[in-house]
Amino acid sequence: MTILKTPITRYLLAALLLFTFQLPNIECQAKNLETSQQPNHPRGHRGKGKFDPNKHFQRLQAYITKEAGLTQDEAARYFPIFKETREQERKIHQAIRKKIHASQRAGLSEKESEKLLAEIQELSLSEAKLKNANIKKWRKVLSASKILKVLKAESDFNRQTFREFSKQ
């Protein structure tokens, strides 16, 4: 593929892959936190309150805007694409998790396992295609250097958020 020959494209793809695999972990942590706060949970009440995805996104948006040095116009054009991207990635990750959980059923034959694995591979491939399409969309609204700054800021925010959840 000629698209992967440039170092910046490879870096962007690697950063997106890293982010993609961090996001489900953060979302799972948030979901686990909500579950653990239910009264009948064996570990009891944990954390300071329920996870609010809207508040989380607002914090993320503010952090990225500040750290990447986005102007109001750049942020206004970038974040709708970003939000759409996250939703599409979340759906793909959710489908992958369902396939993995389905694989844990007792008595799954080798043929059924092969089929599930092939489906997971297809989902992963569609995720990579989605990332390439999104990079093209981002490049229409931000420069390459700003995209790299956004990716770094997003990674830093996710790391910081994960640490906060792990302390609770």
Side-chain angles (χ1 to χ4, degrees):
M1 292 177 66
T2 58
I3 195 167
L4 295 177
K5 287 186 178 179
T6 63
I8 192 147
T9 306
R10 286 186 294 212
Y11 179 80
L12 284 173
L13 186 58
L16 284 172
L17 285 172
L18 178 64
F19 162 72
T20 300
F21 290 111
Q22 287 178 349
L23 178 63
N25 292 336
I26 292 171
E27 290 174 350
C28 282
Q29 284 285 338
K31 190 173 244 180
N32 289 340
L33 179 62
E34 289 177 6
T35 304
S36 69
Q37 292 173 353
Q38 295 174 358
N40 295 332
H41 197 274
R43 288 181 280 174
H45 180 78
R46 289 180 51 191
K48 297 178 182 176
K50 287 190 175 184
F51 176 75
D52 182 355
N54 293 327
K55 184 177 177 184
H56 175 77
F57 183 75
Q58 289 172 351
R59 287 181 55 224
L60 172 64
Q61 188 173 351
Y63 187 88
I64 289 174
T65 301
K66 179 183 175 200
E67 295 299 315
L70 298 181
T71 65
Q72 287 182 349
D73 183 50
E74 288 171 330
R77 289 183 292 148
Y78 171 74
F79 282 107
I81 298 169
F82 176 78
K83 196 168 188 174
E84 177 186 329
T85 300
R86 295 265 305 244
E87 184 59 29
Q88 292 169 340
E89 288 174 347
R90 189 187 66 74
K91 287 178 182 177
I92 291 171
H93 290 143
Q94 188 176 35
I96 289 172
R97 283 192 304 273
K98 282 182 181 179
K99 301 284 183 196
I100 291 171
H101 288 293
S103 72
Q104 302 304 308
R105 287 194 324 247
L108 199 62
S109 71
E110 187 63 25
K111 190 172 185 176
E112 292 169 322
S113 296
E114 286 288 339
K115 182 181 176 191
L116 276 175
L117 188 57
E119 291 171 0
I120 290 171
Q121 286 177 309
E122 278 298 314
L123 287 167
S124 296
L125 183 59
S126 69
E127 181 181 19
K129 289 177 183 178
L130 174 66
K131 286 178 188 184
N132 282 334
N134 287 326
I135 289 173
K136 289 178 185 177
K137 288 179 187 178
W138 294 348
R139 291 189 75 137
K140 291 178 182 177
V141 297
L142 294 176
S143 67
S145 61
K146 287 273 182 143
I147 292 172
L148 291 173
K149 288 178 182 178
V150 165
L151 292 173
K152 170 81 167 93
E154 184 179 11
S155 176
D156 291 347
F157 179 84
N158 289 336
R159 190 174 298 113
Q160 177 184 351
T161 303
F162 183 76
R163 285 184 188 137
E164 288 172 10
F165 276 126
S166 64
K167 287 180 184 177
Q168 293 181 355

